[in-house]
Amino acid sequence: MRHLIIYAHPNDESLNHSILNTVTKHLESQNHEIITRDLYKISFDPVLSLDDMQRQFTGEAAEDIKRNRTIFPGQNRLLSFIRSGGRACLP
Protein backbone atom coordinates (compact mmCIF):
# COMPACT_ATOMS: atom_id res chain seq x y z
CA MET A 1 0.00 0.00 0.00
CA ARG A 2 1.08 3.57 -0.61
CA HIS A 3 0.98 6.13 2.19
CA LEU A 4 1.17 9.91 2.15
CA ILE A 5 1.89 11.22 5.64
CA ILE A 6 1.22 14.92 6.21
CA TYR A 7 3.31 15.98 9.21
CA ALA A 8 3.09 19.35 10.93
CA HIS A 9 5.20 20.08 13.98
CA PRO A 10 8.07 22.57 14.32
CA ASN A 11 10.18 20.53 16.78
CA ASP A 12 12.10 17.45 15.60
CA GLU A 13 12.52 16.43 19.27
CA SER A 14 8.74 16.34 19.91
CA LEU A 15 6.44 13.45 20.74
CA ASN A 16 4.81 13.96 17.34
CA HIS A 17 8.14 13.48 15.58
CA SER A 18 8.66 10.31 17.59
CA ILE A 19 5.22 9.11 16.45
CA LEU A 20 6.15 9.92 12.85
CA ASN A 21 9.37 7.87 13.16
CA THR A 22 7.52 4.94 14.73
CA VAL A 23 4.79 4.91 12.09
CA THR A 24 7.33 5.25 9.26
CA LYS A 25 9.53 2.42 10.56
CA HIS A 26 6.53 0.14 11.03
CA LEU A 27 5.19 0.79 7.52
CA GLU A 28 8.64 0.33 5.98
CA SER A 29 8.98 -3.01 7.78
CA GLN A 30 5.74 -4.06 6.07
CA ASN A 31 7.16 -2.99 2.65
CA HIS A 32 4.74 -0.09 2.24
CA GLU A 33 5.60 2.89 0.04
CA ILE A 34 5.75 6.10 2.09
CA ILE A 35 5.98 9.77 1.18
CA THR A 36 6.16 12.25 4.06
CA ARG A 37 5.35 15.93 3.62
CA ASP A 38 6.61 18.02 6.52
CA LEU A 39 4.62 21.23 6.29
CA TYR A 40 7.14 23.17 8.37
CA LYS A 41 10.10 22.06 6.26
CA ILE A 42 8.39 23.06 3.01
CA SER A 43 7.26 26.40 4.53
CA PHE A 44 3.62 25.63 3.82
CA ASP A 45 1.39 28.69 4.14
CA PRO A 46 -2.01 27.61 5.51
CA VAL A 47 -3.62 31.00 4.92
CA LEU A 48 -6.21 31.09 2.13
CA SER A 49 -5.65 34.39 0.36
CA LEU A 50 -8.18 36.30 -1.68
CA ASP A 51 -6.12 35.44 -4.78
CA ASP A 52 -6.28 31.72 -3.92
CA MET A 53 -10.01 31.97 -3.39
CA GLN A 54 -10.58 33.72 -6.74
CA ARG A 55 -8.48 31.08 -8.54
CA GLN A 56 -10.73 28.35 -7.16
CA PHE A 57 -13.67 29.82 -9.05
CA THR A 58 -11.76 29.62 -12.33
CA GLY A 59 -10.44 26.11 -11.69
CA GLU A 60 -6.86 27.40 -11.50
CA ALA A 61 -4.54 26.47 -8.64
CA ALA A 62 -1.47 28.20 -7.23
CA GLU A 63 1.90 26.75 -8.25
CA ASP A 64 2.62 25.23 -4.83
CA ILE A 65 -0.73 23.43 -4.92
CA LYS A 66 -0.08 22.12 -8.45
CA ARG A 67 3.35 20.85 -7.35
CA ASN A 68 1.95 19.06 -4.32
CA ARG A 69 -0.86 17.42 -6.30
CA THR A 70 1.67 15.55 -8.41
CA ILE A 71 3.82 14.05 -5.64
CA PHE A 72 1.48 11.17 -4.96
CA PRO A 73 -0.63 10.20 -7.97
CA GLY A 74 -2.54 6.98 -8.45
CA GLN A 75 -4.78 4.65 -6.54
CA ASN A 76 -4.38 2.42 -3.49
CA ARG A 77 -3.18 5.06 -1.09
CA LEU A 78 -3.73 6.10 2.50
CA LEU A 79 -3.48 9.67 3.72
CA SER A 80 -2.38 10.25 7.32
CA PHE A 81 -1.96 13.43 9.33
CA ILE A 82 0.40 13.82 12.29
CA ARG A 83 0.10 17.24 13.89
CA SER A 84 0.42 18.94 17.23
CA GLY A 85 -2.44 18.52 19.65
CA GLY A 86 -1.33 21.46 21.77
CA ARG A 87 -3.06 24.80 21.80
CA ALA A 88 0.14 26.70 21.07
CA CYS A 89 0.43 25.32 17.51
CA LEU A 90 -1.99 25.88 14.66
CA PRO A 91 -3.22 22.76 12.81
Side-chain angles (χ1 to χ4, degrees):
M1 179 166 286
R2 301 169 72 202
H3 299 264
L4 174 60
I5 299 174
I6 309 288
Y7 174 74
H9 198 282
N11 185 354
D12 286 344
E13 302 296 321
S14 68
L15 174 62
N16 285 15
H17 198 269
S18 201
I19 292 168
L20 172 66
N21 287 339
T22 300
V23 168
T24 301
K25 286 177 187 174
H26 174 73
L27 293 172
E28 287 174 341
S29 76
Q30 303 295 315
N31 296 316
H32 292 254
E33 180 184 349
I34 304 159
I35 295 174
T36 301
R37 298 298 285 170
D38 184 332
L39 300 183
Y40 280 89
K41 287 208 167 86
I42 65 170
S43 300
F44 177 75
D45 182 3
V47 176
L48 179 65
S49 70
L50 179 58
D51 186 48
D52 291 335
M53 201 181 235
Q54 290 171 337
R55 285 186 192 162
Q56 288 179 349
F57 292 115
T58 64
E60 185 183 339
E63 288 304 315
D64 62 332
I65 300 295
K66 288 179 188 175
R67 235 184 351 267
N68 282 299
R69 285 181 182 164
T70 63
I71 64 164
F72 202 66
Q75 312 246 337
N76 189 22
R77 61 187 170 205
L78 180 63
L79 178 63
S80 303
F81 291 91
I82 300 175
R83 67 170 195 87
S84 171
R87 292 199 266 164
C89 297
L90 294 173

